[in-house]
Amino acid sequence: MFQNVSNDSALGYAQSQEQRVKILHIEDSPADQTLARLSLKRGQLPCQLTIVDSLQATEAALQTQNFDLILADYHLPGFTALDVWELVRRRPEHPPFVLLSGAIGESAAVDIMRLGISDYLLKDQIASLPHVVKRALEVHEARRARRRAMQELAASEKRLAELTEHLHTSIEQERAGISREIHDDIGGSLTAVKFDLAWIQRNSPEGALREHAQSALQMLEHALGASQRIMQNLRPPVLDQGLLAAIQWLVQDFERRTGIPAKLQVRCQQTEFAPELQVVVYRTAQEALTNISKYAKASRVSLELSDHEDFLTLEVTDDGVGLSPADREKPQSFGLRGLNERARTVQGWLDVSSQPGQGSSIILTIPLTDIKT
């Protein structure tokens, strides 16, 4: 059986109807029931107590009502507070649980608290019950607020990750489209003009006309070279030949442009990877090599690409000046942050190891089990 008891006064009844704390009090002693109610009243804690004295009534009350707090004696006829706790703890967003009992021993009380019970109070200290209840409610509310904040943060991070993935995908698609247009339209037109200028040069007599044709051909060669560089930066056609070929071309191009020796080791069992994964690995290698050429002052560079134990790993290492913690935290330092966000779009992560004067190592790791070709 259970009964509802309110400790509201007549003057504050209307206000307390909205503020009352709903407490499930599990107690078989009428005297202790009265003492608890009077203590809460003296502590000016408006509440409504639902009193039960059996495990069956407790379960029925939990199924039919929502409570702000559970207040339970430890020893009850045929069951204990631990049996009640098993009922309560399985409920989502369960209320705080306060044990109000006689002498149960300090070690037993500690064991109970480790189970997740909010607090306990000896009956001979019942005058402190309002304070214990208020504290349990405040702690519970703080934990709920923290959970809500964590859930909102997780949802926000998920939306940000989805947006980042969408932006990276859109940018790569736009780059590929622009690259194709440059190749098909601008490149084709420049090549046609080159043939016409070459014809004019061959068939012009010695003099100003031939000199102008020669000058125009030189400028046209420069324009063709620039368009090819732009296409390579937007999306290198070598990516269509696979990731390994693209990384090899990137390393060779870096060595040719900078004069810095660069060594590539490939330890991959498979040669084909998902397109989105190839782009992430390629862009990471490209950004790492670009940073090395600009800032590292390195004398040698090494890259290693492997797919050991279902993880695709790219490691780029140099022996340059390295990075200090302050360098990584610069407000406008978006290179590494961008690489890290890009890695997250394929469930990967980026590790950076660097010390001033001792070079740097950038390691990209991507699980292959979640990325299918």
Side-chain angles (χ1 to χ4, degrees):
M1 60 169 289
F2 59 86
Q3 57 177 311
N4 291 326
V5 179
S6 174
N7 69 352
D8 297 323
S9 65
L11 291 176
Y13 179 77
Q15 181 182 8
S16 63
Q17 285 296 306
E18 298 179 356
Q19 300 177 349
R20 286 185 300 175
V21 179
K22 295 181 179 179
I23 299 177
L24 176 61
H25 189 194
I26 307 167
E27 176 60 70
D28 63 322
S29 169
D32 290 338
Q33 295 169 6
T34 302
L35 284 173
R37 180 170 57 83
L38 291 175
S39 177
L40 293 169
K41 185 175 181 179
R42 289 180 185 136
Q44 298 182 344
L45 182 63
C47 59
Q48 176 181 314
L49 280 77
T50 298
I51 301 173
V52 296
D53 58 5
S54 70
L55 192 59
Q56 183 179 5
T58 299
E59 188 169 10
L62 290 172
Q63 290 176 351
T64 57
Q65 300 183 55
N66 292 321
F67 295 98
D68 300 314
L69 183 131
I70 310 295
L71 182 64
D73 192 3
Y74 186 75
H75 292 290
L76 294 128
F79 68 104
T80 70
L82 296 183
D83 297 312
V84 178
W85 172 243
E86 286 301 314
L87 292 177
V88 172
R89 65 187 292 268
R90 292 196 296 264
R91 301 175 66 84
E93 293 292 327
H94 63 77
F97 192 108
V98 174
L99 186 64
L100 177 62
S101 184
I104 60 174
E106 184 176 346
S107 61
V110 171
D111 291 339
I112 289 171
M113 294 291 290
R114 286 175 177 169
L115 294 175
I117 290 176
S118 303
D119 209 341
Y120 80 96
L121 182 67
L122 298 177
K123 287 185 176 180
D124 58 8
Q125 298 174 343
I126 199 167
S128 301
L129 181 60
H131 172 72
V132 171
V133 169
K134 290 177 183 177
R135 182 176 61 190
L137 291 171
E138 289 171 357
V139 171
H140 180 68
E141 182 56 34
R143 288 174 177 170
R144 288 181 60 189
R146 184 174 181 273
R147 282 197 298 270
R148 287 196 298 267
M150 294 296 290
Q151 290 170 353
E152 291 172 2
L153 178 61
S156 177
E157 289 180 342
K158 182 181 178 182
R159 290 193 297 269
L160 179 60
E162 291 172 348
L163 176 60
T164 301
E165 182 177 3
H166 171 72
L167 289 176
H168 282 308
T169 301
S170 298
I171 289 171
E172 290 299 335
Q173 290 174 346
E174 289 179 4
R175 283 179 167 181
I178 295 172
S179 179
R180 284 192 297 270
E181 289 183 10
I182 292 175
H183 179 271
D184 296 342
D185 296 339
I186 299 177
S189 298
L190 290 176
T191 301
V193 173
K194 178 181 177 180
F195 285 131
D196 288 340
L197 283 173
W199 186 89
I200 293 173
Q201 182 190 29
R202 289 194 306 271
N203 293 278
S204 297
E206 294 286 343
L209 182 60
R210 178 175 291 187
E211 292 176 0
H212 280 295
Q214 178 65 29
S215 177
L217 273 172
Q218 292 175 353
M219 294 187 65
L220 193 59
E221 288 288 352
H222 176 76
L224 282 168
S227 66
Q228 290 174 354
R229 288 194 302 273
I230 292 171
M231 284 190 297
Q232 294 288 356
N233 288 330
L234 287 170
R235 188 184 187 279
V238 71
L239 265 178
D240 296 331
Q241 301 176 27
L243 178 61
L244 305 185
I247 298 296
Q248 288 171 348
W249 175 86
L250 193 62
V251 171
Q252 292 169 0
D253 180 68
F254 169 83
E255 195 170 35
R256 177 182 57 79
R257 288 186 297 102
T258 64
I260 301 173
K263 180 181 179 181
L264 172 64
Q265 285 187 321
V266 178
R267 299 176 178 176
C268 293
Q269 299 297 319
Q270 62 187 85
T271 57
E272 295 185 3
F273 303 96
E276 64 271 21
L277 186 151
Q278 293 187 52
V279 170
V280 171
V281 176
Y282 179 84
R283 293 300 182 196
T284 300
Q286 184 183 47
E287 179 70 17
L289 291 174
T290 299
N291 288 339
I292 290 172
S293 65
K294 287 182 177 180
Y295 311 115
K297 299 179 181 178
S299 60
R300 64 178 182 274
V301 178
S302 64
L303 294 87
E304 181 176 320
L305 187 67
S306 68
D307 60 359
H308 184 60
E309 294 184 350
D310 286 330
F311 285 93
L312 182 63
T313 303
L314 170 71
E315 182 173 0
V316 184
T317 305
D318 69 78
D319 64 347
V321 297
L323 291 171
S324 67
D327 293 331
R328 303 188 202 183
E329 299 300 326
K330 287 181 180 178
Q332 300 302 320
S333 180
F334 296 112
L336 292 178
R337 298 176 195 171
L339 291 180
N340 192 53
E341 290 300 320
R342 187 184 287 273
R344 291 176 61 181
T345 64
V346 288
Q347 295 83 50
W349 60 91
L350 195 75
D351 294 312
V352 179
S353 175
S354 180
Q355 294 292 333
Q358 299 181 20
S360 301
S361 179
I362 295 176
I363 303 174
L364 170 69
T365 306
I366 304 172
L368 292 174
T369 52
D370 296 330
I371 307 294
K372 303 300 182 183
T373 57

